[in-house]
């Protein structure tokens, strides 16, 4: 995704062609970028050969999931809906892990029936429930136990998961107690130790701390785990300041870890696989001048992309066609929704825009479309996939009729 002769392109398709074919706002993905990201991920971890389970919560479009599955990845799911979806797409049950603090009995029953690789438990109550359910079925269920390592991932508080105050996982002490209490159960087998400390992590230090805690835990615990699941969380560069996550360093540490502990590794990346594969293409409806800045009112709103409103996340905005005329005033890019938080980004020295022009919000592949909603009775946008010179609608825009 880049400019050719000042015009934005997704692979071989120009922005002009895209906006003539599809009504804005819409998500547009590059298949090439997705395949490249997956290839790079494999390459970074080639020594360890982990089972890479794509975190489906970050993007659950079936066509994209199929590409991911065809590249050999497994899936990390957090609901029966995601589980049914990945099974339908064709992911093999022995490459599926199921996480989440509140799996209901019907979700667990379904997962047990499908014999997925792991159910990662997050509380003693959940484990007791699984034991009861598996007794009825006379099967042995493979479980992972999720440890809360009490590590600060140094990311946005709202997406941190591995601190004591977060709802996820079991404390060091409780995890040891539970393993001792249930390790001889005939209904479950502790097959995996799992941790996940948060998302959009850009520094290696929290991972190093997490690995230290896990090493320490494995020394104290009385079972041998076949797998250690380190979750996901590796961040991407949203700001174009080239602060990227050091995958090589993490891969080396994880490799050392797996040799020392003689265990297989699972990783659950979402954002680092899908985040930079998509843009949200939107039109400027109106420009409203104010004394201090101009409001650039887009046809995309917080119902299409909620990350800026919810997490103060910054998605770079770029023009569809570059020009050299700079605006003297600051631009405040906002949506049409009746909420002050329906705003994307403030930018200075942006090129001068006109009403009707197209702009592009970058890096919206992860937690973009999946978090969109019908707020203000607005239809959810369409998703388009570009593969070289071809485009394909991979989810239709809802119609107003669908909503009423
Ligand atoms: N594994 C588990 C258990 C998780 O909870 C998550 C994300 C992942 C893997 C994938 O993490 P990733 O590699 O994508 O960072 N909606 C927020 C992010 C929430 C992340 C939730 N858990 C956002 O838009 O930033």
């Amino acid at each position: 995704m880049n400019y050719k002769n000042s015009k934005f392109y997704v692979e071989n398709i120009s922005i002009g062609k895209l906006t003539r074919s599809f009504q804005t706002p819409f998500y547009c993905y590059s298949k090439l970028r997705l395949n490249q990201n997956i290839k790079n991920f494999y390459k970074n971890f080639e020594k360890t050969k982990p089972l890479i389970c794509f975190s489906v919560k970050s993007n659950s479009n079936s066509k994209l999931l199929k590409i991911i599955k065809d590249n050999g990845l497994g899936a990390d799911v957090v609901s029966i809906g995601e589980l049914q979806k990945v099974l339908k797409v064709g992911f093999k049950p022995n490459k599926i892990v199921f996480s989440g603090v509140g799996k209901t009995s019907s979700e667990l029953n379904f997962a047990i029936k499908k014999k997925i690789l792991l159910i990662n438990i997050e509380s003693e109550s959940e484990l007791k429930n699984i034991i009861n359910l598996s007794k009825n079925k006379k099967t042995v269920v493979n479980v992972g136990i999720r440890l809360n390592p009490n590590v600060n991932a140094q990311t946005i508080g709202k997406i941190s998961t591995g601190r004591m105050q977060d709802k996820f996982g079991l404390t060091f002490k409780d995890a040891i107690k539970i393993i001792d209490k249930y390790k001889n159960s005939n209904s479950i087998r502790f097959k995996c130790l799992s941790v996940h400390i948060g998302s959009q992590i850009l520094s290696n230090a929290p991972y190093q701390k997490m690995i230290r805690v896990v090493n320490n835990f494995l020394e104290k615990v009385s079972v041998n785990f076949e797998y250690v699941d380190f979750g996901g969380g590796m961040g991407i560069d949203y700001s174009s300041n080239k602060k990227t996550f050091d995958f090589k360093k993490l891969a080396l540490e994880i490799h050392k870890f797996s040799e020392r502990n003689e265990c297989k590794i699972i990783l659950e990346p979402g954002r680092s696989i899908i985040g930079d594969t998509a843009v949200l293409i939107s039109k400027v409806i109106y420009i409203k001048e104010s004394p201090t800045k101009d409001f650039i009112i887009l046809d995309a709103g917080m119902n299409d992309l909620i990350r800026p409103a919810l997490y103060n996340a910054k998605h770079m905005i770029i023009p569809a066609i570059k020009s050299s005329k700079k605006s003297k005033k600051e631009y405040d890019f906002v949506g049409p929704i009746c909420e002050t938080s329906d705003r994307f980004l403030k930018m200075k020295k942006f090129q001068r825009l006109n009403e009707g022009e197209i702009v592009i919000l970058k890096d919206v592949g992860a937690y973009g479309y999946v978090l969109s909603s019908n707020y203000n009775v607005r239809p959810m946008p369409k998703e388009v996939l570009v593969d070289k010179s071809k485009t394909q609608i991979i989810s239709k825009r809802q119609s107003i009729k669908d909503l009423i």
Side-chain angles (χ1 to χ4, degrees):
M1 294 188 227
N2 227 323
Y3 290 95
K4 280 182 215 162
N5 298 327
S6 302
K7 285 197 187 106
F8 186 78
Y9 273 74
V10 178
E11 301 196 15
N12 299 335
I13 313 270
S14 71
I15 188 69
K17 181 148 191 225
L18 282 169
T19 49
R20 276 194 301 278
S21 311
F22 309 110
Q23 190 197 328
T24 57
F26 62 95
Y27 280 78
C28 186
Y29 296 82
S30 157
K31 185 173 178 183
L32 178 67
R33 179 65 65 87
L34 176 56
N35 282 326
Q36 280 171 344
N37 286 351
I38 295 173
K39 214 186 272 165
N40 287 342
F41 203 96
Y42 272 121
K43 191 153 192 322
N44 282 322
F45 291 95
E46 68 188 344
K47 269 186 162 173
T48 316
K49 300 199 171 39
L51 172 61
I52 306 168
C53 292
F54 175 68
S55 196
V56 173
K57 66 174 83 71
S58 66
N59 192 310
S60 55
N61 182 286
S62 297
K63 291 276 175 358
L64 300 174
L65 288 175
K66 168 121 188 353
I67 298 171
I68 291 166
K69 182 215 66 159
D70 289 344
N71 273 286
L73 277 75
D76 151 45
V77 300
V78 289
S79 71
I80 192 167
E82 285 188 359
L83 179 51
Q84 290 188 8
K85 200 163 190 182
V86 296
L87 288 169
K88 181 141 191 242
V89 167
F91 283 85
K92 293 270 171 306
N94 65 5
K95 285 188 175 180
I96 301 174
V97 300
F98 191 1
S99 311
V101 291
K103 303 175 208 86
T104 62
S105 298
S106 66
E107 290 183 305
L108 290 168
N109 256 328
F110 184 78
I112 294 170
K113 198 169 83 195
K114 292 293 169 190
K115 295 193 169 18
I116 63 169
L117 178 63
L118 288 170
I119 301 177
N120 283 334
I121 64 123
E122 307 221 15
S123 63
E124 183 171 3
S125 301
E126 186 186 5
L127 183 61
K128 280 192 201 154
N129 196 11
I130 294 178
I131 291 174
N132 282 335
L133 297 170
S134 66
K135 267 190 192 139
N136 297 340
K137 291 195 167 48
K138 301 196 175 63
T139 55
V140 183
V141 181
N142 290 324
V143 298
I145 185 154
R146 180 159 174 189
L147 176 70
N148 181 324
N150 195 18
V151 167
N152 186 342
Q154 294 164 22
T155 180
I156 313 165
K158 278 189 181 165
I159 54 175
S160 277
T161 53
R163 304 165 301 180
M164 228 12 91
Q165 69 263 38
D166 301 323
K167 68 179 174 183
F168 299 98
L170 290 150
T171 63
F172 201 103
K173 260 199 192 150
D174 287 344
I176 301 259
K177 226 166 48 195
I178 287 172
I179 290 169
D180 285 341
K181 190 163 158 193
Y182 296 95
K183 68 181 175 196
N184 297 321
S185 159
N186 296 324
S187 309
I188 56 115
R189 189 183 306 126
F190 288 113
K191 203 177 167 92
C192 177
L193 180 72
S194 102
V195 272
H196 170 77
I197 53 174
S199 197
Q200 185 52 14
I201 301 169
L202 283 170
S203 142
N204 282 75
Y207 283 103
Q208 285 166 343
K209 273 194 204 147
M210 171 185 87
I211 290 173
R212 250 181 273 138
V213 176
V214 172
N215 268 324
N216 195 0
F217 186 85
L218 293 180
E219 278 168 21
K220 303 250 170 15
V221 78
S222 53
V223 294
N224 279 327
F225 293 104
E226 183 181 342
Y227 289 95
V228 170
D229 177 349
F230 282 121
M234 306 82 177
I236 61 168
D237 179 21
Y238 282 105
S239 59
S240 307
N241 66 8
K242 304 277 174 289
K243 187 173 189 284
T244 52
F245 184 78
D246 191 344
F247 273 96
K248 293 234 152 52
K249 202 163 167 188
L250 180 66
L252 193 71
E253 306 249 346
I254 288 185
H255 189 64
K256 270 198 270 173
F257 173 93
S258 76
E259 294 215 308
R260 169 185 162 150
N261 294 293
E262 291 176 1
C263 61
K264 294 184 225 165
I265 301 293
I266 299 175
L267 296 172
E268 303 172 354
R271 193 187 314 263
S272 52
I273 298 287
I274 201 82
D276 68 356
T277 65
V279 289
L280 176 60
I281 299 178
S282 178
K283 190 185 275 177
V284 178
I285 312 178
Y286 299 119
I287 298 180
K288 183 158 80 167
E289 296 188 12
S290 86
T292 53
K293 59 184 179 185
D294 287 350
F295 289 103
I296 307 294
I297 303 169
L298 301 180
D299 63 358
M302 66 192 279
N303 76 301
D304 301 299
L305 177 69
I306 202 173
R307 297 194 71 255
L310 194 57
Y311 311 111
N312 281 331
K314 289 190 169 49
H315 287 268
M316 293 306 288
I317 301 181
I318 55 173
I321 300 173
K322 274 191 192 168
S323 86
S324 53
K325 289 186 204 134
K326 292 262 179 288
S327 160
K328 290 201 181 80
K329 276 216 244 136
E330 186 177 30
Y331 279 168
D332 195 356
F333 289 90
V334 300
I337 286 184
C338 293
E339 277 223 28
T340 300
S341 51
D342 182 30
R343 66 154 33 122
F344 294 112
L345 194 62
K346 272 194 197 166
M347 291 182 86
K348 282 189 177 135
K349 294 187 189 146
F350 201 87
Q351 77 181 41
R352 205 181 311 151
L353 286 172
N354 296 306
E355 293 180 351
E357 253 184 77
I358 301 292
V359 294
I360 289 151
L361 286 86
K362 287 179 71 185
D363 304 320
V364 297
Y367 310 104
Y369 183 84
V370 280
L371 279 167
S372 63
S373 75
N374 291 127
Y375 190 36
N376 283 195
V377 195
R378 281 169 55 87
M380 260 134 76
K382 106 175 13 108
E383 292 177 288
V384 173
L385 176 67
V386 174
D387 178 12
K388 300 185 190 83
S389 302
K390 279 191 287 192
T391 57
Q392 184 190 6
I393 296 175
I394 56 172
S395 72
K396 279 197 241 152
R397 182 182 175 81
Q398 288 175 317
S399 70
I400 300 272
K401 224 165 136 199
D402 294 334
L403 304 182
I404 38 186

